C-alpha cells in the first residue's frame, strides 16, 4: 500500500522547483535572493519532514526510509543549506540571477536523497547517474572561462561513458538475478559469488561511485572543476555530493553487495593509498587555494576508503566520522573564501591573500584554525577524526596504513604551512573588500558547532554510531 | 574530586581572559593598553589560584594531588585526568610569572597588542594544561595544541627574518607531535584505556614494542629541546626573536620537553632501554659544550641569553635522567628561579636595545647611562651565573653533586659548559658597564621609571625569597 506522506520531503522540493519556474516566468525582474528564498524554504520543509517521517516508507521494497537514510539525508540537507546561504552572497555581490544555481542544486539534492531510499536498483542508479550528470549544468553557471569549458567537456565525456557502463552493469545484474529489487539482487550476488560476470558488474558499480567521489586514480576532474568553477558551485561540489555519494556507497555495500564486498578489499586499499599519496603531494604543487582543497578532499577520501575497505561497524563508523568532520571543516574554509574579495573579485590564488590577517583578523584566525583541524591537530575537531581512524587501524595491526597516513599528514602540513605563511606572515598586497556580516555569522555558527562537538563529542561519536548501527543490521 | 576544581580553573582562566580580550576595545587611542591590562589581570588572577592550589598541596608527598577527572568520551572511553604535585605547580607558577614579566616588557608596544595578548593567553592556557595533565592523552593534546598559538606568535610578532627557519621549526614540531600521536594510540590500544603518566615506566609491551614506544617518546619530546640534531632550527628561530614577550614564551617550549621526560621516566627507563639514556647523555653533553662555546664567541646578546637557557635546560634534563626522583623538587626550585631570571634579563636587554636604538648608542657602556637599570640588571646576571641570590644557587649544587655521584665525566663536561656560558654573560655585563667612549654627552637617555624599577625589584625579592625558603607558601 502506498504511503504518500512518506514522500512529503521529496514532494516539497519538487513543488519548490515548480514555483521557482513560475516565478522566473511571471516576474519581470527576479532578484538574486528570490530563488534562494524559495530553495531555502523548500529545503527546510524537506529537512523537517525528513526528521518527522524518519521511519515511514512510501512502498516497501521500492522506496524505504530507515534511521540511517534519515541521518544521511539530514546531513546532506544541512550541508546544502549552509552552502546555499553562503552562495547567495555571491549572487548578491554580482547582482545576477540565481535561478540556474538553486534549481540545479534542488534537482541534484532531490535525486541524491531519493537514491538513498530506493530499494529498486534501476531507480537507485537512475537517480545516482542523472544526479551526477546534472552537475554539468552547475559547473557552467555564470562562467565563461575557456579552461573550465574544456575541463567541463572532458568531465562530461567521461561521466557519460561511466554512466553508460554503470547502467549496463546494473542491467547485467538485473538480467542475471531476474529481479529489480535490491534485496533479491543482493541474495543472488551472495549465492553466485564465484561468477566472474557478477564480480565484473559489482566492480563497475563500485568504480563508478569512486569516480563520482573523485577518488584517485579517478580524481583527474576534481582539481580543475573545483578550482575553476565559481565559488558557490565549487563549495557545493566539494562537500554535498561527497556526503551523498559516500552515503550511497555505504548503502550499496550494506544492501547490495554484503556477500562479496570484502573481496574488493585489496582493490580498495590500493585506490585508497593512491589517493592519500596523490592528495598530499598534489596539495603541495598548487597555488590555487580551491585546488589545494580539492587535493585535500582526495586525501581525506583516501583515508576514508582505507577504513571502508572492509565493512565492519568500527571501521565504517570511524571513516564516516572522519569524513563528516573534514566536510564540516571544508565548509568553514569555504565560508572564509566568501570573505576574501578584492574589488568584487573572489580571490583564489594563495599569493593574493597575503597578509589577510592584518585587515581581517577573524577570517585569518578561522582559516588557520580550520587548516589545523584538517591536519588532525588537537584541540581541533579534526583530532577526534584522526584519533578514531588511527585507533582502528592500530587495532587492525595495520601499521603500514598508519605510517602512510601520518606521512601524508606531514606532507599536507607543508602545503598548509605555506597557506598560513601567506595569510599571516607575508606583507599585505591586496586591499580586501568589506566582508558581509552574514559571512561572519555563518563562520560563527560553524565554529560554534565545532566547539560544541569538541567539548562534548558524544553527539558525534556515540549518537551517530547508534544510527549507523542500523545500517549494519 | 575537590570541592573547588582549582586545576580546571587554572586551565580555564586564561581562556576566560581570551574571551574578555575579544570584547575589549583596542583602538588607536588606547594603543593596546586595554588588551595588555586585561591580559595582565588574567595572569594575576591565575597566580592567585596557583598559590591557592599550592597551599593545598603537600610538598613532602611525591604523588599527584588535587586530582580531577573529566569524562570526555564514553566510547571509546577517554577520561582526561588533571593532577599536580609541588613540582608541576612550581612550573605553572614560574611560567605565569615569566609571562607577566614578558608582558611588562612589551607595555610600550602598541601594534596589534590585542592579537598578541590573545595568543599569549591561549599559549599560557595550553602550557598550563600540559603541566596539569596526568594522563598520556591530556599530555598529548596540550603538547600539540600549544604549537598553534606559538607558531602565530613567533610568525606575527617575533620579527624573525629567516622565514625558512620558522617554516622548518614548525614543520619539525608537527612531525614530533605526530610521532607522539602514534605512541598515544599504540598505548591506548594496548590497554584500551588512557594510560596515566606515572604508570608509563611499568608498561610492558615486549622488547620491540618498548623500544619503539620509548624511542618515539624520546624523539617527540626532544624535538622541543635545542639538542642535536634539533638544535639548528630551534636556535635559528628562538635566538632571533626580537619581541621580549614572544622570546620568553618561545623559550618556554623546551620546558615542555623536559617536563615530559620527567613525567614519563620518573624513576629512569626500563633496564633494557638504558642504552637510550646513555646515548642521549653523550649527545646532551656535546650539545651543551658546543652551544656554550658559541655563546662565548658570539657577540649577539640575544644569542647569549638563548645559549644560557639551552645549556641550563640540558643541565636540568640530565638531572631528570638520574635514577631517582628525589631531586625533582630541586630541579623545580631551580627552574622556578631560572624562568624568572631569564625573562627579566630578556626584558631588560630589550629595554637597553630600545634605548640604544632611539639614541643611536653603542651597547658598550650603555649601563653607565642607566643607573637604576644597571643595578637590577647586574643582580639578574649575577643570579643567572649562580651567585647566592636565588634558588638556583643551592639547588644547582645539589644537582651537580647528584650528577657527580652518577657520572663523573658527564658532570665535569656539564660544569665546563655552565662556566663557559656564565663567563659569556659576565663578559657581556662587564662590556655594558665599562665607561663608554662617547663622542658626545647624552643627558636625555631615559632610565627605567620608578614604577618599573619597583616591579623588577619585586621579582628580585621573589628570587631572594626563593633562596631563603623556596616553598614559603607551601605546607609540609
Amino acid at each position: 500500500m502506498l504511503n504518500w506522506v512518506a514522500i512529503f520531503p521529496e514532494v516539497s522540493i519538487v513543488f519548490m522547483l515548480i514555483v521557482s519556474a513560475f516565478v522566473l516566468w511571471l516576474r519581470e525582474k527576479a532578484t538574486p535572493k528570490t530563488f534562494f528564498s524559495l530553495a531555502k524554504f523548500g529545503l527546510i520543509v524537506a529537512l523537517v519532514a525528513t526528521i518527522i517521517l524518519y521511519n515511514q516508507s512510501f512502498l516497501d521494497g521500492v522506496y524505504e526510509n530507515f534511521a540511517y537514510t534519515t541521518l544521511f539525508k539530514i546531513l546532506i540537507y544541512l550541508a546544502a543549506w549552509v552552502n546555499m546561504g553562503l552562495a547567495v552572497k555571491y549572487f548578491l555581490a554580482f547582482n545576477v540571477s540565481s535561478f540556474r544555481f538553486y534549481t540545479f542544486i534542488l534537482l541534484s539534492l532531490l535525486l541524491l536523497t531519493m537514491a538513498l531510499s530506493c530499494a529498486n536498483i534501476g531507480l537507485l542508479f537512475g537517480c545516482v547517474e542523472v544526479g551526477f550528470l546534472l552537475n554539468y549544468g552547475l559547473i557552467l553557471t555564470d562562467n565563461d572561462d575557456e579552461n573550465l569549458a574544456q575541463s567541463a567537456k572532458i568531465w562530461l565525456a567521461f561521466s557519460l561513458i561511466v554512466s553508460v557502463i554503470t547502467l549496463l552493469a546494473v542491467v547485467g545484474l538485473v538480467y542475471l538475478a531476474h529481479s529489480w529489487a535490491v534485496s533479491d539482487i543482493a541474495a543472488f550476488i551472495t549465492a553466485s559469488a564465484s561468477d566472474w560476470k557478477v564480480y565484473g558488474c559489482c566492480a563497475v558499480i563500485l568504480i563508478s561511485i569512486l569516480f563520482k567521489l573523485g577518488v584517485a586514480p579517478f580524481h583527474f576532474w576534481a582539481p580543475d572543476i573545483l578550482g575553476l568553477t565559481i565559488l558557490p558551485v565549487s563549495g557545493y561540489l566539494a562537500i554535498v555530493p561527497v556526503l551523498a555519494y559516500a552515503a550511497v556507497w555505504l548503502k550499496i555495500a550494506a544492501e547490495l553487495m554484503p556477500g562479496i564486498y570484502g573481496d574488493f578489499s585489496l582493490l580498495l586499499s590500493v585506490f585508497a593509498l593512491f589517493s592519500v599519496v596523490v592528495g598530499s603531494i598534489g596539495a603541495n604543487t598548487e597555488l590555487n587555494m580551491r585546488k589545494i582543497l580539492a587535493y585535500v578532499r582526495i586525501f581525506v577520501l583516501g583515508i576514508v576508503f582505507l577504513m571502508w575497505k572492509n565493512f565492519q561497524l568500527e571501521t565504517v563508523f570511524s571513516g564516516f566520522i572522519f569524513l563528516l568532520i573534514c566536510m564540516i571543516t571544508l565548509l568553514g574554509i569555504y565560508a572564509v573564501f566568501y570573505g576574501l574579495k578584492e574589488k568584487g573579485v573572489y580571490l583564489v590564488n594563495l599569493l593574493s591573500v597575503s597578509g589577510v590577517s592584518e585587515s581581517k583578523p577573524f577570517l585569518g584566525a578561522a582559516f588557520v584554525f580550520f587548516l589545523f583541524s584538517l591536519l588532525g591537530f588537537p584541540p581541533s575537531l579534526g583530532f577526534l577524526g584522526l584519533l578514531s581512524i588511527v585507533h582502528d587501524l592500530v587495532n587492525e595491526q595495520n601499521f603500514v596504513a598508519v605510517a602512510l597516513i601520518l606521512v601524508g599528514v606531514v606532507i599536507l602540513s607543508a602545503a598548509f604551512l605555506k597557506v598560513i605563511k601567506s595569510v599571516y606572515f607575508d606583507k599585505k598586497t591586496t586591499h580586501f573588500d568589506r566582508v558581509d556580516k552574514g559571512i561572519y555569522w555563518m563562520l560563527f555558527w560553524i565554529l560554534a558547532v565545532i566547539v560544541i562537538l569538541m567539548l562534548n563529542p558524544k553527539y558525534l561519536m556515540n549518537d551517530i554510531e547508534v544510527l549507523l548501527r542500523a545500517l549494519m543490521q | 574530586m575537590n570541592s573547588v576544581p582549582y586545576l580546571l580553573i587554572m586551565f580555564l582562566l586564561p581562556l576566560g581572559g581570551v574571551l574578555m580580550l575579544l570584547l575589549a576595545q583596542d583602538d588607536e587611542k588606547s594603543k593596546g593598553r586595554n588588551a595588555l591590562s586585561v591580559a595582565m589581570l588574567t595572569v594575576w588572577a591565575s597566580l592567585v589560584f596557583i598559590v591557592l592550589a599550592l597551599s593545598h598541596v603537600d610538598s613532602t608527598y611525591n604523588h599527584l594531588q588535587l586530582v580531577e577527572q573529566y569524562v570526555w568520551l564514553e566510547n571509546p572511553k577517554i577520561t582526561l585526568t588533571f593532577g599536580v604535585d609541588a613540582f608541576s605547580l612550581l612550573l605553572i607558577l614560574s611560567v605565569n610569572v615569566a609571562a607577566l614579566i614578558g608582558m611588562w616588557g612589551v607595555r610600550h608596544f602598541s601594534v596589534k597588542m590585542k592579537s598578541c595578548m590573545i595568543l599569549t593567553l591561549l599559549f599560557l592556557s595550553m602550557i598550563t594544561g600540559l603541566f596539569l595533565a596526568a594522563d598520556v592523552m591530556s599530555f598529548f593534546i596540550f603538547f600539540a595544541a600549544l604549537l598553534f598559538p606559538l607558531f602565530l606568535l613567533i610568525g606575527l610578532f617575533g620579527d624573525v627574518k629567516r622565514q625558512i627557519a620558522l617554516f622548518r621549526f614548525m614543520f619539525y614540531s608537527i612531525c614530533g607531535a605526530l610521532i607522539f600521536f602514534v605512541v598515544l594510540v599504540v598505548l591506548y590500544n594496548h590497554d584500551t584505556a588512557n594510560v596515566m603518566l606515572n604508570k608509563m615506566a611499568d608498561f610492558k609491551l615486549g622488547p620491540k614494542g618498548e623500544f619503539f614506544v620509548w624511542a618515539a617518546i624520546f624523539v617527540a619530546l626532544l624535538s622541543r629541546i635545542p639538542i642535536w640534531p634539533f638544535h639548528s632550527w630551534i636556535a635559528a628561530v628562538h635566538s632571533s626573536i626580537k619581541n621580549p614577550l614572544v622570546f620568553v614564551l618561545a623559550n618556554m617550549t623546551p620546558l615542555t620537553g623536559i617536563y615530559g621526560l620527567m613525567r614519563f621516566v620518573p624513576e629512569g627507563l626500563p633496564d633494557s632501554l638504558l642504552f637510550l639514556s646513555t646515548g642521549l647523555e653523550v649527545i646532551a653533553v656535546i650539545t651543551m659544550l658546543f652551544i656554550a662555546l658559541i655563546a662565548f664567541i658570539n657577540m649577539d646578546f640575544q644569542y647569549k641569553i638563548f645559549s644560557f637557557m639551552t645549556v641550563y635546560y640540558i643541565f636540568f634534563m640530565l638531572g631528570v635522567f638520574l635514577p631517582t626522583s628525589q631531586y625533582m623538587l630541586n630541579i623545580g626550585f631551580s627552574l622556578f628561579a631560572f624562568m624568572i631570571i631569564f625573562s627579566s634579563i630578556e626584558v631588560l636587554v630589550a629595554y637597553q636595545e630600545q634605548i640604544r636604538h632611539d639614541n643611536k648608542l653603542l651597547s658598550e657602556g650603555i649601563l653607565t647611562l642607566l643607573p637604576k637599570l644597571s643595578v637590577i640588571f647586574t643582580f639578574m646576571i649575577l643570579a643567572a651565573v649562580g651567585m647566592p641570590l636565588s634558588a638556583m644557587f643551592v639547588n644547582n649544587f645539589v644537582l651537580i653533586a647528584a650528577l657527580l655521584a652518577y657520572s663523573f665525566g658527564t658532570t665535569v663536561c656539564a660544569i665546563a659548559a655552565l662556566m663557559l656560558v656564565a663567563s659569556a654573560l659576565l663578559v657581556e655585563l662587564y662590556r655594558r658597564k665599562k665607561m663608554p667612549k662617547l663622542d658626545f654627552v647624552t643627558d636625555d637617555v631615559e632610565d627605567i621609571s620608578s614604577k618599573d624599577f619597583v616591579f623588577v625589584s619585586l621579582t628580585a625579592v621573589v628570587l631572594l625569597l626563593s633562596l631563603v625558603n623556596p616553598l614559603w607558601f607551601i605546607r609540609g
Side-chain angles (χ1 to χ4, degrees):
Chain A
M1 189 175 158
L2 299 180
N3 179 7
W4 290 98
V5 179
I7 55 165
F8 186 72
E10 288 80 2
V11 171
S12 66
I13 292 179
V14 172
F15 178 72
M16 241 358 114
L17 281 167
I18 296 167
V19 173
S20 295
F22 267 107
V23 169
L24 182 74
W25 181 43
L26 294 174
R27 279 184 71 166
E28 269 187 26
K29 194 184 173 201
T31 63
K33 231 176 170 175
T34 310
F35 299 106
F36 164 65
S37 304
L38 291 171
K40 186 176 74 175
F41 186 70
L43 195 67
I44 292 171
V45 172
L47 176 63
V48 173
T50 303
I51 295 168
I52 294 169
L53 307 167
Y54 73 99
N55 58 353
Q56 299 214 20
S57 296
F58 175 64
L59 180 60
D60 287 343
V62 178
Y63 198 84
E64 298 169 325
N65 284 326
F66 303 103
Y68 72 87
T69 54
T70 305
L71 167 72
F72 293 142
K73 284 182 183 179
I74 290 170
L75 293 174
I76 292 166
Y77 285 144
L78 284 174
W81 186 9
V82 177
N83 258 299
M84 283 162 51
L86 287 168
V88 76
K89 306 294 174 197
Y90 174 93
F91 294 105
L92 281 170
F94 290 102
N95 198 24
V96 290
S97 170
S98 56
F99 173 75
R100 181 178 170 141
F101 177 76
Y102 287 112
T103 307
F104 273 109
I105 282 200
L106 281 186
L107 269 173
S108 169
L109 284 176
L110 176 69
L111 293 168
L112 292 177
T113 49
M114 273 175 68
L116 292 175
S117 297
C118 289
N120 176 302
I121 195 167
L123 205 56
L124 194 162
F125 281 94
C127 291
V128 168
E129 297 306 325
V130 177
F132 189 66
L133 291 172
L134 275 178
N135 287 345
Y136 184 70
L138 260 181
I139 290 167
L140 293 178
T141 306
D142 288 336
N143 205 321
D144 48 8
D145 186 325
E146 278 183 22
N147 292 332
L148 177 67
Q150 188 66 24
S151 299
K153 272 181 198 163
I154 295 170
W155 177 88
L156 184 64
F158 274 97
S159 301
L160 279 170
I161 293 167
V162 170
S163 292
V164 169
I165 295 173
T166 310
L167 291 176
L168 284 175
V170 169
V171 171
L173 279 179
V174 171
Y175 174 76
L176 291 170
H178 304 293
S179 172
W180 287 91
V182 170
S183 54
D184 291 345
I185 297 173
F188 170 75
I189 290 173
T190 309
S192 45
S194 54
D195 188 347
W196 66 270
K197 286 175 280 186
V198 173
Y199 263 105
C201 291
C202 291
V204 166
I205 288 171
L206 290 180
I207 287 174
S208 159
I209 306 291
L210 291 179
F211 171 77
K212 290 171 179 64
L213 282 164
V215 172
F218 316 104
H219 67 286
F220 58 90
W221 60 271
D224 278 347
I225 297 292
L226 296 180
L228 298 174
T229 49
I230 60 167
L231 186 56
V233 177
S234 176
Y236 175 79
L237 291 180
I239 296 156
V240 182
V242 174
L243 285 173
Y245 291 117
V248 169
W249 177 277
L250 291 178
K251 180 185 169 74
I252 290 172
E255 294 179 11
L256 188 66
M257 309 177 187
I260 62 164
Y261 185 81
D263 297 344
F264 295 103
S265 164
L266 184 64
L267 186 72
L268 287 176
S269 298
V270 172
F271 290 158
L273 293 176
F274 193 38
S275 299
V276 169
V277 174
V278 167
S280 54
I281 294 175
N284 278 279
T285 61
E286 287 296 341
L287 283 176
N288 179 320
M289 291 188 293
R290 288 183 217 161
K291 284 190 180 182
I292 292 175
L293 287 191
Y295 279 109
V296 171
R297 184 175 166 274
I298 295 168
F299 174 79
V300 167
L301 285 168
I303 294 178
V304 170
F305 277 96
L306 213 48
M307 303 312 294
W308 289 357
K309 67 180 190 299
N310 294 316
F311 204 67
Q312 293 155 353
L313 178 64
E314 288 77 22
T315 52
V316 165
F317 172 65
S318 54
F320 184 74
I321 291 296
F322 182 74
L323 180 71
L324 192 58
I325 289 171
C326 290
M327 290 301 120
I328 294 172
T329 313
L330 278 183
L331 209 53
I333 294 181
Y334 268 95
V336 171
F337 285 171
Y338 277 93
L340 302 176
K341 262 195 317 182
E342 185 193 23
K343 292 175 187 163
V345 178
Y346 287 92
L347 303 169
V348 289
N349 196 299
L350 198 54
L351 303 175
S352 62
V353 296
S354 309
V356 67
S357 68
E358 232 175 276
S359 48
K360 313 282 175 207
F362 183 64
L363 280 189
F367 197 4
V368 173
F369 178 76
F370 290 135
L371 291 181
F372 267 82
S373 183
L374 278 177
L375 285 180
F377 249 66
S380 66
L381 192 58
F383 170 62
L384 266 183
L386 194 65
L387 181 68
S388 54
I389 290 281
V390 176
H391 174 257
D392 282 343
L393 286 174
V394 171
N395 237 350
E396 282 181 2
Q397 305 276 309
N398 194 349
F399 294 108
V400 177
V402 173
L404 202 80
I405 288 175
L406 294 181
V407 169
V409 171
V410 168
I411 297 171
L412 205 59
S413 72
F416 286 0
L417 285 177
K418 276 185 217 161
V419 179
I420 295 169
K421 177 181 162 291
S422 182
V423 168
Y424 266 95
F425 310 146
D426 287 350
K427 289 271 172 269
K428 198 173 89 168
T429 53
T430 310
H431 185 75
F432 297 99
D433 294 354
R434 198 182 66 84
V435 181
D436 189 298
K437 271 189 183 166
I439 307 284
Y440 281 128
W441 272 113
M442 201 62 92
L443 263 175
F444 172 79
W445 286 116
I446 294 171
L447 284 170
V449 167
I450 288 177
V451 170
I452 290 168
L453 291 178
M454 266 158 50
L455 292 178
N456 193 353
K458 182 185 154 299
Y459 304 126
L460 192 71
M461 304 291 279
N462 299 133
D463 295 352
I464 287 185
E465 188 180 356
V466 173
L467 294 173
L468 274 182
R469 209 174 279 276
L471 177 76
M472 314 298 292
Q473 288 159 358
Chain B
M1 185 76 78
N2 317 297
S3 54
V4 180
Y6 287 107
L7 309 189
L8 186 67
I9 293 172
M10 274 155 60
F11 165 67
L12 289 180
L13 252 174
L15 293 180
V18 170
L19 283 180
M20 294 291 286
L21 275 172
L22 287 171
L23 301 173
Q25 277 209 331
D26 188 22
D27 51 19
E28 283 185 12
K29 203 175 158 189
S30 72
K31 289 184 178 171
R33 280 197 300 273
N34 278 350
L36 184 68
S37 305
V38 171
M40 288 185 94
L41 200 67
T42 307
V43 179
W44 277 115
S46 295
L47 287 174
V48 169
F49 267 92
I50 295 163
V51 173
L52 272 175
L54 271 165
S55 67
H56 286 77
V57 164
D58 186 349
S59 66
T60 55
Y61 185 59
N62 199 14
H63 289 94
L64 292 180
Q65 298 157 63
L66 304 178
V67 173
E68 294 169 17
Q69 290 196 318
Y70 302 96
V71 177
W72 191 39
L73 202 55
E74 284 294 345
N75 187 24
K77 181 95 176 171
I78 298 178
T79 304
L80 303 180
T81 311
F82 285 166
V84 286
D85 53 13
F87 175 73
S88 49
L89 275 177
L90 269 173
L91 289 195
I92 298 171
L93 184 69
S94 54
V95 159
N96 276 277
V97 174
L100 200 62
I101 295 169
M103 285 175 182
W104 175 78
V106 294
R107 70 204 177 285
H108 297 308
F109 293 25
S110 56
V111 182
K112 292 193 209 165
M113 188 61 104
K114 189 171 168 177
S115 313
C116 183
M117 290 303 135
I118 286 175
L119 291 170
T120 301
L121 290 184
L122 269 178
F123 179 83
L124 278 180
S125 175
M126 295 303 132
I127 202 164
T128 304
L130 182 106
F131 293 139
L132 294 176
D135 61 277
V136 180
M137 176 74 80
S138 316
F139 186 88
F140 169 74
I141 288 175
F142 297 117
F143 184 77
L146 61 83
L147 284 179
F148 172 66
L150 178 70
F151 185 42
L152 294 185
L153 270 169
I154 298 175
L156 281 172
F157 308 102
D159 205 14
V160 178
K161 296 284 178 252
R162 288 177 58 205
Q163 286 210 346
I164 186 72
L166 179 59
F167 187 87
R168 284 173 61 197
F169 165 73
M170 196 59 199
F171 184 72
Y172 292 120
S173 299
I174 287 175
C175 291
L178 283 174
I179 291 170
F180 207 129
F181 178 65
V182 178
V183 172
L184 166 78
V185 178
V186 168
L187 291 177
Y188 185 86
N189 275 47
H190 185 268
D191 232 24
T192 55
N194 196 359
V195 182
M196 299 301 286
L197 287 177
N198 54 5
K199 300 281 182 226
M200 271 298 298
D202 308 330
F203 220 76
K204 298 284 176 254
L205 284 163
K208 275 187 184 172
E210 272 182 8
F211 175 77
F212 164 75
V213 165
W214 283 105
I217 288 174
F218 269 42
V219 171
L221 295 175
L222 290 177
S223 70
R224 296 284 169 88
I225 305 169
I227 191 170
W228 185 89
F230 308 105
H231 68 289
S232 113
W233 60 83
I234 298 180
V237 171
H238 285 197
S239 64
S240 59
I241 295 170
K242 300 292 178 230
N243 181 311
L245 174 62
V246 179
F247 182 90
V248 169
L249 297 178
N251 280 291
M252 282 176 191
T253 45
L255 197 57
T256 61
I258 290 169
Y259 179 77
L261 286 171
M262 179 161 276
R263 282 287 175 231
F264 277 89
V265 280
E267 301 282 346
L269 281 169
D271 288 345
S272 58
L273 298 167
L274 278 177
F275 69 95
L276 277 178
S277 63
T278 312
L280 186 64
E281 209 178 285
V282 174
I283 295 170
V285 166
I286 293 171
T287 311
M288 267 177 110
L289 284 169
F290 177 70
I291 289 184
L293 206 62
I294 297 179
F296 199 74
I297 300 162
N298 201 318
M299 294 303 286
D300 180 15
F301 201 7
Q302 196 82 350
Y303 194 89
K304 283 183 198 288
I305 301 174
F306 165 75
S307 307
F308 156 70
M309 297 184 62
T310 304
V311 167
Y312 267 92
Y313 274 137
I314 299 176
F315 171 63
F316 294 133
M317 194 186 78
L318 289 175
V320 169
F321 281 104
L322 286 169
T324 168
S325 58
Q326 64 173 315
Y327 300 106
M328 211 171 184
L329 265 185
N330 295 103
I331 298 174
F333 297 144
S334 205
L335 266 169
F336 173 68
F338 166 78
M339 297 292 284
I340 295 176
I341 292 168
F342 101 78
S343 49
S344 303
I345 292 178
E346 170 58 26
V347 165
L348 295 173
V349 169
Y351 187 80
Q352 290 171 48
E353 290 305 302
Q354 188 64 44
I355 294 286
R356 203 171 66 77
H357 181 262
D358 292 348
N359 297 282
K360 296 186 176 62
L361 296 170
L362 293 172
S363 60
E364 195 175 18
I366 192 167
L367 288 176
T368 57
L369 303 170
L370 308 162
K372 278 194 278 187
L373 185 81
S374 176
V375 171
I376 206 76
F377 187 68
T378 309
F379 177 92
M380 290 298 171
I381 293 285
L382 291 178
V385 299
M387 291 291 112
L389 298 170
S390 76
M392 273 176 81
F393 173 68
V394 180
N395 293 291
N396 284 2
F397 270 111
V398 174
L399 260 182
I400 287 170
L403 281 170
L404 263 175
Y406 174 60
S407 166
F408 182 77
T410 305
T411 317
V412 169
C413 292
I415 292 171
L418 290 174
M419 286 175 69
L420 257 178
V421 84
S423 313
L425 290 183
L426 287 173
V427 168
E428 185 62 27
L429 177 68
Y430 171 73
R431 213 172 61 79
R432 288 182 180 234
K433 285 180 85 80
K434 200 171 65 173
M435 280 306 286
K437 294 169 190 162
L438 293 174
D439 296 336
F440 56 93
V441 179
T442 49
D443 294 328
D444 54 348
V445 176
E446 198 182 345
D447 200 350
I448 52 170
S449 66
S450 301
K451 202 168 107 187
D452 294 341
F453 184 72
V454 170
F455 181 86
V456 196
S457 301
L458 273 175
T459 60
V461 171
V462 171
L463 284 175
L464 281 170
L465 277 174
S466 75
L467 169 72
V468 181
N469 180 8
L471 288 178
W472 81 91
F473 38 71
I474 302 182
R475 71 187 164 92

